[in-house]
Amino acid sequence: MHDLTKEVWVNYTYEDWLAHFKENDKARLKLDFASEPELSEEQRKLIFKSIKAFQMGEHSDGIYLAELAEKFGKEYKEPDYPATMNLFIKEENFHSAYLAWYLDHHKEPKAKKNKLDKIFRDLRHDGKLITEIMVLVTAETIALSYYSALGNVADKIGSKDLRAICNQMLHDELPHIVFQTYTLSHFGDKRSIRSKRRFIMGCTTLAVYLMYGKLLRAGGYNYRKFRGDNFAYLNQSILMAAKMSQG
Ligand SMILES: [Fe+2]
Ligand SMILES: [Fe+2]
């Protein structure tokens, strides 16, 4: 687990975030699969179900989010937010692409629809940026645990490329949590926001564990650890949001 409250990102403005995403955009992960092993049937069964779900979840056309970001930028006098959001969406689409390359290499078809993706998208789309960001940051927190577990499984099956993908995801997602937290801090430190965030985290943690528990357990995450880590990150985010909203 990382202590996000100690990172420099906690002091970032949207101008800094814009620079951060521009810098990330200069060097994206490259994969050649030169040493990628053949996977056994058992290994395929273990990893592909969840990889397909996350490949879909990481992808977004971003139109809806971009519209809300425009509105927020005007309302809160944050002119850099829309451009930052666009680069953030671009980064998420790279995440989806990395997983898609991995699936393609193993000639595994991509998912066309997925229950988890539908849950997250339904929860998000109520026309408010705050809801969108609350759900997004929950998914990203869960992703931290998931990619940690998947990275451990990648080591076990000897896939350097899958390990590299997981490392890249963790590298990118950790600051994302702080970025979304900064946006949430604009809405104030309210009890209603905190309890809604805890409720969404509780439900989605359980749903993800029920669907992908096999992979999580293989990567060292039983339910106790999975839930514990997710809520520990949520508590860090709540703490950061409170501090940020004070100024
Ligand atoms: Fe992502
Ligand atoms: Fe993210």
Side-chain angles (χ1 to χ4, degrees), residues 78-127:
E78 294 282 12
D80 287 321
Y81 189 60
T84 311
M85 180 57 91
N86 284 336
L87 280 175
F88 161 78
I89 293 164
K90 189 175 175 188
E91 185 157 292
E92 291 298 357
N93 282 326
F94 268 101
H95 293 174
S96 178
Y98 302 148
L99 296 175
W101 297 343
Y102 191 76
L103 291 170
D104 288 346
H105 174 80
H106 286 285
K107 299 190 171 47
E108 186 67 29
K110 286 175 224 63
K112 290 198 180 69
K113 57 179 181 195
N114 170 268
K115 254 192 243 158
L116 181 67
D117 195 57
K118 180 143 178 23
I119 295 173
F120 275 123
R121 282 178 211 266
D122 286 351
L123 274 171
R124 276 160 60 175
H125 287 195
D126 75 343

